[in-house]
Amino acid sequence: MPFIAISHRLRAFAAILIAVAGVLLAACSETSSNYQFWRVSTAYSFENKLAEPFGIAFHKGRVYVTDGQNGEIRSFVPGDGEVSTINGFDTPSGIAVGSGGEVIVADPGTNTIKQFTLGKEPSDIAGRANVRGFADGLALEALFNGPTGVAVFPDGRIAVADTYNDRIRIIENGIVWTLAGAERGFADGNGANARFDTPLGIAVWRGEKLLVADSGNRRIRVVEPDGSVWTLAGDGGYELRDGMPASASLVGPTAVAADEEGRIFIADGNAIRAIGLRSFPYLETIAGGERGLTDSTPRLARFNRPSGLALLGRTLFIADSDNAAVRIVHAARAEAGLTISNSAQPLTAAAFRSLQPGRWPYDPPERTREIAGTLGEIRGEIIDQTSEAWFHNGLDIPGAYGETARFIRDEKVLDPHAAENFGTLRELLRMPTIGYVHIRLGHDSDDRLYDDPRFLFEFEPASGKPISVRVPRGAKFKAGEPVGTLNAMNHVHLIAGRPGAEMNALDALVLPGVSDSIAPVIEEIRLFDEIWMEIPAGTALTGKTRVVVKAYDRKDGNAERRRLAPYRLGYELIPAADAATANDQKLTSWTISFEKMPSHRAVKFAYAPGSRSGATGETIFNFAVTNRVDGDTFSEGFIDPATRPPGNYILRVFAADFFGNTSRKDLPVTLGR
């Protein structure tokens, strides 16, 4: 390569470094001492637990929040209590307000950009309604592909993150034109030479620049007024890692906002992050990180797919999508909003199953199938504390390789990255309340791709083979429509409930003909001391003791080999003299429950060493029933002889299935001192 080419590249690279350093240092030189984040609270919780707040914006103290699930916008003044609803949308997403009070909304469900003012009906200002594609030109003749983010420049121009066209577009004087981007990918550069991957949130930064949450590339990008694009933060890694912007990692940025001094705030995965709060360039996590719903100090708070950010002074408002709430990160010691606890339940199983009738994920929809796995079962193997294991979060329904899997409910896509793990055995589509795993999405039994614009395939240029698929936000599917075909796992893994609030699908879905008249089997009871040394049978218990129960369940119609986890387990310690007359119906010590999805951190509290389950090999469920596991709650427990009179007892263990069949097994024990 000629030296002059190298020289040009080095100068270009140096120019980018200087630009990054200059901009970041300018932002960071304005001291951040006023930002002392104090608490996360909840300002507004949607009464409809299926609501999906996505975009959020302010104008003159009024909050506007889009609800992608219900196709409406909520508007309220914090602390006022009165809420207005604006209808006329399909899947409203990103939202911004112009200087004249005009509210701009990206509606990927119709592939349009809409506008309204308070008290007036919304109207299209760009895009052809319900037509997906790419075309610049007159605003109402231009074509978009799932536009998700919008921002308004001070002069009134509108910037659009045209998400599935992987471009940044501008609406100006009734014309739509492309500022940056072309094919999907990652590349800095000028205009059409730049590459984005599923850009979502977008914000004006320092007057003329645009910040872009480049979600698929896991980076924050900057678009200059001339269309040149450079990377501000993120190294493309998958972990939540703070650090200097170029070496820090983002897990999936969805929204970005900036204050008047140029500080940047990012909704990233289940965390809120910032750049510009220190005297040197640094990307840091200021709140959250783990999925959940907790109001607390910023580091202990939890979010669930936050998708929108808006600043009111130094207070940060967040559209917390899968928690159906608007949250606040306070930068001062002042209460605001309603504080709720992490025990709040977004949706009960009874309410969930009443929403739509049940059907099996195959045709015919009423034909009863086997069930090969239930929520709460261990996956992996526990040998010791270093073992990797996790909870199964759904219901496995066997089928034949290549059999067509079908949607079991009417739903529309809300997560912009609903399709994941293309080409792997874990390929899936996550709808708002149901997940479908082990599916070759958009393929028929002969491996032909569906002629369906809701499945956006990307192809390898040389071979023409599909290398990825996206299913865009706002795409709608009906129960019974095909989602794809079974891969080599030969079953549909159904997940019931919203992400982060998964529930036992046997409880949440009324599947036609499903029944269970077979009580769980309790194979054996074993006792261990605090350090997991087994206590020989007949030995008096003098110290804290663990109880481990080997048990499994079966279902009507299942092959004998299919072993399922019981729904609940528990135990009682009964004085031997009272055991014959003890009333089992009064049992209150259900210590392990799989009604709701437990935290994966609890897997070694529910299961003892020797437990294992997976696609191959023997299934063994050893339950540590002296521990407690129920949803997000888990703790260690023991039989403690110091708390009971010495003597002879009956240790009675119980295992129950969802249908009410209960088994018990007794073990005589002696408590000593």
Side-chain angles (χ1 to χ4, degrees), residues 330-346:
H330 301 275
R333 293 185 67 87
E335 286 288 356
L338 168 70
T339 298
I340 58 179
S341 73
N342 61 355
S343 63
Q345 293 301 311

Side-chain angles (χ1 to χ4, degrees), residues 38-42 287 294-298 301 303 327-330:
W38 172 64
R39 186 171 179 80
V40 173
S41 73
T42 299
T294 305
D295 285 332
S296 184
T297 58
F303 302 90
R327 314 286 295 285
I328 300 175
V329 180
H330 301 275

Side-chain angles (χ1 to χ4, degrees), residues 28-194:
C28 299
S29 65
E30 299 168 38
T31 178
S32 62
S33 60
N34 290 329
Y35 274 101
Q36 300 293 327
F37 297 107
W38 172 64
R39 186 171 179 80
V40 173
S41 73
T42 299
Y44 178 72
S45 186
F46 284 70
E47 69 280 1
N48 178 352
K49 298 306 180 183
L50 288 180
E52 192 238 12
F54 189 92
I56 186 167
F58 278 105
H59 182 66
K60 295 184 177 179
R62 177 170 288 275
V63 184
Y64 294 89
V65 186
T66 62
D67 177 359
Q69 171 70 38
N70 297 299
E72 60 191 27
I73 293 174
R74 302 290 183 93
S75 174
F76 62 93
V77 176
D80 187 297
E82 182 179 343
V83 179
S84 300
T85 300
I86 301 98
N87 297 302
F89 302 91
D90 183 287
T91 314
S93 300
I95 187 170
V97 184
S99 59
E102 66 278 12
V103 183
I104 311 300
V105 182
D107 192 351
T110 59
N111 297 297
T112 60
I113 308 301
K114 300 180 185 296
Q115 176 179 301
F116 72 93
T117 54
L118 198 61
K120 295 185 179 181
E121 295 292 320
S123 60
D124 294 348
I125 60 171
R128 292 173 58 190
N130 303 311
V131 180
R132 186 182 304 279
F134 169 71
D136 287 335
L138 294 174
L140 293 176
E141 296 179 7
L143 296 179
F144 295 88
N145 192 351
T148 302
V150 289
V152 181
F153 287 101
D155 62 7
R157 287 175 298 139
I158 299 169
V160 179
D162 191 3
T163 300
Y164 302 101
N165 277 326
D166 303 296
R167 291 169 167 89
I168 305 304
R169 316 276 293 279
I170 301 294
I171 306 171
E172 181 180 18
N173 297 325
I175 301 294
V176 173
W177 55 279
T178 300
L179 176 63
E183 290 81 13
R184 183 183 183 189
F186 171 70
D188 289 336
N190 192 35
N193 294 320

Side-chain angles (χ1 to χ4, degrees), residues 520-525 548-553 563-566 568-569 607 619-623 625 653-656 663:
V521 176
I522 300 174
E523 297 183 273
E524 63 178 349
I525 306 170
V548 174
V549 176
K550 185 179 181 182
Y552 67 89
D553 188 28
R563 297 193 169 192
L564 309 175
R568 290 192 177 101
L569 299 103
Y607 290 96
T619 295
I620 299 173
F621 299 130
N622 291 326
F623 297 98
V625 297
V653 299
F654 297 83
S663 297

Side-chain angles (χ1 to χ4, degrees), residues 383-624:
I383 299 174
D384 54 35
Q385 289 302 306
T386 65
S387 301
E388 291 188 9
W390 58 96
F391 287 114
H392 188 256
N393 70 341
L395 193 69
D396 287 347
I397 304 175
Y401 176 79
E403 185 171 3
T404 298
R406 298 184 179 277
F407 289 94
I408 66 169
R409 289 192 171 200
D410 296 356
E411 289 197 271
K412 67 177 172 181
V413 173
L414 295 179
D415 187 339
H417 289 278
E420 298 182 37
N421 308 325
F422 181 81
T424 73
L425 292 178
R426 289 283 303 168
E427 189 169 347
L428 64 90
L429 180 63
R430 191 56 163 102
M431 303 297 282
T433 68
I434 300 289
Y436 304 83
V437 191
H438 309 313
I439 308 296
R440 297 164 66 247
L441 298 173
H443 288 73
D444 68 15
S445 58
D446 293 322
D447 206 30
R448 293 187 298 257
L449 302 184
Y450 293 166
D451 183 15
D452 186 334
R454 294 171 296 185
F455 294 93
L456 305 178
F457 285 96
E458 183 180 10
F459 301 92
E460 203 279 324
S463 67
K465 293 182 179 179
I467 56 175
S468 72
V469 65
R470 293 183 288 186
V471 183
R473 176 174 168 84
K476 302 172 190 65
F477 295 90
K478 294 285 188 182
E481 286 192 290
V483 59
T485 53
L486 299 189
N487 64 24
M489 296 296 286
N490 296 327
H491 68 267
V492 175
H493 173 107
L494 282 182
I495 305 171
R498 297 193 70 160
E502 292 86 355
M503 55 189 76
N504 195 301
L506 288 173
D507 194 9
L509 303 173
V510 182
L511 297 171
V514 69
S515 65
D516 186 354
S517 60
I518 306 171
V521 176
I522 300 174
E523 297 183 273
E524 63 178 349
I525 306 170
R526 300 166 68 189
L527 305 178
F528 295 82
D529 64 16
E530 283 189 86
I531 60 173
W532 287 102
M533 296 294 293
E534 186 163 6
I535 300 172
T539 304
L541 307 180
T542 58
K544 290 183 177 180
T545 301
R546 305 176 190 271
V547 178
V548 174
V549 176
K550 185 179 181 182
Y552 67 89
D553 188 28
R554 288 184 57 203
K555 188 190 83 65
D556 293 346
N558 268 17
E560 194 281 332
R561 71 180 186 280
R562 295 203 188 279
R563 297 193 169 192
L564 309 175
Y567 188 64
R568 290 192 177 101
L569 299 103
Y571 75 98
E572 281 286 356
L573 195 61
I574 308 168
D578 301 331
T581 58
N583 187 347
D584 292 349
Q585 299 300 317
K586 294 185 177 180
L587 175 73
T588 57
S589 297
W590 290 114
T591 54
I592 296 176
S593 172
F594 295 129
E595 179 182 359
K596 299 168 290 187
M597 180 62 187
S599 165
H600 286 295
R601 294 178 296 165
V603 69
K604 293 176 184 176
F605 288 78
Y607 290 96
S611 298
R612 69 182 308 274
S613 180
T616 60
E618 184 184 7
T619 295
I620 299 173
F621 299 130
N622 291 326
F623 297 98

